[in-house]
């Protein structure tokens, strides 16, 4: 079965650079979530989208922005990167229509140097 | 504020024994609760969920119990195996705003 696809899997950026993370949800899923997980930390909710509209917002820095496109894929844009942004970034998708649970991708490991 | 939290940070069990992982939550409006397993460097993997109008649900080797009176959730793993070693998270989900909130992870370590 198709799963949530995230790209890239690994990304190394320098401080103050910009990064874009992509998430392709499971087909026919209408909701996408983004989470940040630091080393040894719990996943922290950043933001979610339902039908291309922002659904909920968590602890997402102002330097970050995200959107969900017409094909339901989502991108997380991160600017003015800081060392503390180094983390695993997970995307999950679910379907509000069919009321499914959220399935996670394998994550993008971002390292800021 | 609302939170979902686990009682203990680590749990060590003997292979073959049953494991019980507990979780407390505070959001009474959650639609359902989910247990995830996360192995090192991987994304959280769905294990089992339970709707807020249920008190028990069984899967393969796993059982989730929900006690809404005391806002308590537990995951029982029967005949724990080395492959069960991972970090386990409970999470609560509210469908109205697609909000999925994770609790503190607990590390399950299985002794051979």
């Amino acid at each position: 079965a198709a799963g949530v696809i995230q790209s890239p899997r690994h990304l190394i950026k320098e401080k103050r650079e910009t990064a874009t993370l992509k998430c392709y949800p499971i087909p026919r899923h209408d909701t996408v979530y983004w989470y940040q997980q630091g080393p040894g930390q719990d996943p922290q909710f950043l933001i979610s989208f339902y039908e291309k509209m922002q659904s909920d917002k968590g602890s997402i820095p102002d330097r970050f922005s995200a959107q969900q496109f017409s094909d339901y894929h989502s991108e997380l844009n991160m600017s003015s990167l800081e060392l503390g942004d180094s983390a695993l970034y997970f995307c999950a998708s679910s379907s509000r229509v069919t009321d499914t649970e959220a399935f996670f991708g394998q994550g993008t490991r971002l390292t800021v140097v | 504020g609302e939170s979902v939290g686990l009682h203990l940070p680590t749990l060590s069990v003997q292979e073959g024994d049953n494991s019980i992982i507990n979780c407390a939550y505070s959001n009474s409006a959650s639609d359902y609760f989910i247990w995830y397993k996360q192995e090192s460097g991987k994304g959280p993997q769905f294990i089992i969920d339970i709707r807020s109008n249920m008190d028990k649900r069984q899967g393969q080797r796993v059982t989730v119990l929900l006690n809404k009176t005391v806002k308590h959730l537990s995951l029982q793993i029967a005949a724990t195996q080395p492959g069960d070693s991972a970090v386990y998270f409970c999470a609560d989900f509210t469908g109205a705003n697609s909000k999925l909130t994770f609790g503190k992870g607990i590390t399950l370590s299985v002794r051979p």
Side-chain angles (χ1 to χ4, degrees):
Chain A
V4 177
I5 305 297
Q6 290 188 247
S7 68
R9 290 296 309 277
H10 302 273
L11 190 59
I12 299 176
K13 290 286 185 177
E14 295 186 354
K15 284 194 306 183
R16 292 179 290 277
E17 283 193 319
T18 298
T20 298
L21 279 53
K22 296 184 179 182
C23 171
Y24 297 87
I26 292 172
R28 293 179 294 281
H29 278 194
D30 49 33
T31 305
V32 167
Y33 315 76
W34 284 98
Y35 290 82
Q36 177 191 59
Q37 187 177 31
Q41 302 295 311
D42 310 315
Q44 295 296 313
F45 173 69
L46 295 178
I47 196 167
S48 64
F49 293 88
Y50 167 67
E51 284 293 343
K52 294 152 279 184
M53 298 290 290
Q54 181 179 309
S55 181
D56 196 17
K57 194 172 182 179
S59 53
I60 183 169
D62 292 339
R63 298 178 289 108
F64 295 6
S65 66
Q67 58 181 322
Q68 186 179 29
F69 294 86
S70 58
D71 63 351
Y72 293 96
H73 93 274
S74 179
E75 295 184 2
L76 177 65
N77 297 293
M78 311 160 70
S79 62
S80 302
L81 287 169
E82 302 173 356
L83 296 178
D85 296 328
S86 296
L88 272 170
Y89 290 83
F90 291 108
C91 169
S93 75
S94 67
S95 170
R96 193 181 288 190
V97 172
T98 57
D99 201 19
T100 62
E101 61 273 6
F103 290 90
F104 282 78
Q106 290 302 301
T108 293
R109 181 175 293 281
L110 173 66
T111 302
V112 181
V113 297
Chain B
E2 298 161 346
S3 66
V4 180
L6 294 164
H7 293 307
L8 297 172
T10 60
L11 176 65
S12 180
V13 299
Q14 189 72 39
E15 181 179 357
D17 287 352
N18 296 333
S19 303
I20 300 177
I21 304 172
N22 296 306
C23 175
Y25 66 92
S26 60
N27 182 8
S28 299
S30 298
D31 295 311
Y32 55 91
F33 302 87
I34 311 160
W35 282 101
Y36 287 95
K37 172 186 179 184
Q38 187 177 27
E39 297 173 308
S40 180
K42 295 185 178 180
Q45 178 186 1
F46 172 86
I47 301 173
I48 191 169
D49 64 1
I50 185 168
R51 294 198 172 275
S52 58
N53 61 354
M54 299 172 64
D55 53 23
K56 182 179 180 179
R57 190 176 185 203
Q58 287 185 294
Q60 187 176 14
R61 283 203 306 121
V62 294
T63 301
V64 56
L65 299 177
L66 176 62
N67 186 330
K68 293 182 287 294
T69 302
V70 295
K71 296 183 181 178
H72 183 269
L73 186 73
S74 70
L75 176 69
Q76 301 177 0
I77 304 175
T80 312
Q81 302 170 359
D84 295 326
S85 294
V87 178
Y88 288 80
F89 294 94
C90 63
D92 75 298
F93 180 79
T94 305
N97 58 351
S98 297
K99 185 167 186 173
L100 178 66
T101 304
F102 280 82
K104 294 293 183 184
I106 181 167
T107 301
L108 176 64
S109 177
V110 182
R111 304 188 303 272

